[in-house]
Amino acid sequence: MSPLSVLRVARRSLGTLTLTSIFARQQSSLTTELIENMDKKATWDRFYTENSSSNFKNFEWFFGFDSVRDFVLPLLQPQTRTATPLHVLDMGCGTSALGPSIYQHSSVQVTVTCADISPIAVRLMREHVAAKAIEPHHPLSMLGFLELDCREMFAHFGADGLDLIVDKGTTDALLRSKDGSGKAGHVVRQCLRTLRGSGRLLQFSDEDPDARLLWLETEGREPGERPAQVAVQEVGELRGVRYYCYQVTSPPVAELL
């Protein structure tokens, strides 16, 4: 099994397979290094370099756009207070087709930013989209790719800079890394700081709600603030693993006064 395939399985390590069993079968220091350091830029630069080829193919964590479109597209509603288009962030996009698919299928004008810590992933996606000449559903929609550490999200986008953040596996990668737990909580708080008042963070994960709900409520608040508001829906089961969509919003302003 290639490092790529092993990583795909390892992402489900809280489900049917454990990292220990994977290591026992693979005996691969490379695989161990990748899985334990998914919070580091060098890991992803290496990952995308080793798995790039002349025949580009989008790589999807968990599942593709068709599995999540009914969770994402209904949240893209026309702005009534301003003419500014909705700003959607695919956080930790890698080489996923998620961001471009939102751009292609949203009937509402959107600006879709696909951000990743790896400049290699960003370059591959820019080249792929340019080669395919992807067209938007709405003629004024825009699509861009950005090299960005998600821990620096607020510094880049500022307060009220985003309407929707889609996180398909990025937080999970941080949480399952050797030193990533604290970084994951910081990222959630960064997300909520950049969202407009009615904005939402969507997290797709295979982690059970009993664990993830409490973690999000706790980590999604600054000192002295109320917990973040979190709702969960089941996405479905794929290859024996059950997946969930966690929708996170900041507490209403009235609750903070």
Side-chain angles (χ1 to χ4, degrees):
M1 187 182 294
S2 69
L4 176 68
S5 300
V6 173
L7 268 177
R8 185 184 293 115
V9 174
R11 299 283 294 143
R12 310 203 307 264
S13 61
L14 298 184
T16 57
L17 294 175
T18 66
L19 294 178
T20 303
S21 65
I22 294 169
F23 295 157
R25 287 204 307 271
Q26 298 303 313
Q27 296 294 317
S28 169
S29 59
L30 170 62
T31 301
T32 303
E33 179 185 352
L34 286 171
I35 294 171
E36 289 187 349
N37 293 283
M38 290 192 290
D39 60 321
K40 295 178 174 60
K41 176 182 178 295
T43 299
W44 295 112
D45 285 344
R46 182 178 182 182
F47 176 80
Y48 290 114
T49 297
E50 294 182 354
N51 292 285
S52 62
S53 68
S54 57
N55 297 318
F56 177 89
K57 184 177 180 181
N58 295 108
F59 180 75
E60 303 290 349
W61 293 117
F62 301 154
F63 34 65
F65 174 72
D66 286 343
S67 296
V68 303
R69 62 183 300 157
D70 291 339
F71 295 91
V72 175
L73 295 183
L75 298 180
L76 303 178
Q77 299 297 323
Q79 294 277 53
T80 57
R81 302 183 309 276
T82 174
T84 304
L86 295 170
H87 194 169
V88 180
L89 174 68
D90 179 6
M91 183 180 77
C93 63
T95 56
S96 168
L98 176 61
S101 295
I102 295 173
Y103 169 75
Q104 284 182 290
H105 291 88
S106 174
S107 60
V108 176
Q109 181 184 358
V110 291
T111 296
V112 179
T113 300
C114 304
D116 199 272
I117 196 172
S118 171
I120 298 168
V122 170
R123 175 181 58 79
L124 289 171
M125 286 301 293
R126 282 177 177 156
E127 293 173 352
H128 172 64
V129 168
K132 289 193 68 175
I134 295 174
E135 297 292 335
H137 188 293
H138 191 289
L140 298 180
S141 288
M142 299 180 66
L143 174 66
F145 297 90
L146 174 69
E147 180 188 345
L148 180 70
D149 185 333
C150 56
R151 293 175 297 172
E152 305 299 327
M153 195 183 313
F154 183 77
H156 184 84
F157 294 107
D160 301 325
L162 298 169
D163 296 283
L164 178 65
I165 300 172
V166 183
D167 170 6
K168 186 163 70 75
T170 299
T171 294
D172 286 44
L174 292 174
L175 285 171
R176 296 175 191 185
S177 301
K178 185 177 179 181
D179 302 314
S181 180
K183 297 176 184 178
H186 176 73
V187 167
V188 170
R189 292 187 292 276
Q190 288 273 300
C191 288
L192 295 179
R193 290 181 69 194
T194 62
L195 287 171
R196 293 183 178 133
S198 59
R200 294 173 174 87
L201 163 64
L202 291 187
Q203 276 192 4
F204 294 97
S205 174
D206 64 347
E207 186 169 39
D208 190 272
D210 287 345
R212 182 58 64 93
L213 285 171
L214 178 60
W215 184 83
L216 283 169
E217 290 172 355
T218 302
E219 294 295 330
R221 64 174 173 180
E222 300 289 350
E225 291 187 355
R226 292 179 180 271
Q229 297 184 329
V230 188
V232 61
Q233 290 177 273
E234 187 173 312
V235 176
E237 188 171 309
L238 182 64
R239 295 185 294 272
V241 179
R242 197 168 298 279
Y243 293 94
Y244 303 92
C245 173
Y246 297 92
Q247 186 173 139
V248 190
T249 57
S250 297
V253 174
E255 293 188 18
L256 300 177
L257 297 179

